[in-house]
Amino acid sequence: MKSILKVLSYLGLAMTVLPSVLVFAGKMEKELHYSVMIAGMVLWFVTAVLWVKPDQHQP
């Protein structure tokens, strides 16, 4: 489960970085860029919170 969350969170992180590069290169429209970045941001914050937090059982 944790490995799936990691993959999804890194996918979300890539969705926030790559669209900017693609817009700069002229391969993506700005409107699509905004939508992809918002979806990536939400995906990153929802999934990363579940696996990045420290273990609660250690003293």
Side-chain angles (χ1 to χ4, degrees):
M1 177 70 173
K2 200 173 198 180
S3 60
I4 294 171
L5 289 173
K6 284 184 181 183
V7 170
L8 287 175
S9 64
Y10 287 129
L11 176 66
L13 191 59
M15 288 172 63
T16 61
V17 174
L18 291 178
S20 298
V21 174
L22 292 174
V23 168
F24 183 73
K27 305 284 184 184
M28 182 183 278
E29 297 294 324
K30 276 190 176 182
E31 292 77 20
L32 179 60
H33 165 259
Y34 297 142
S35 299
V36 172
M37 284 196 69
I38 289 172
M41 176 190 66
V42 169
L43 183 63
W44 166 255
F45 281 113
V46 167
T47 57
V49 167
L50 298 173
W51 69 268
V52 172
K53 66 181 178 181
D55 193 12
Q56 305 275 330
H57 301 288
Q58 293 179 349

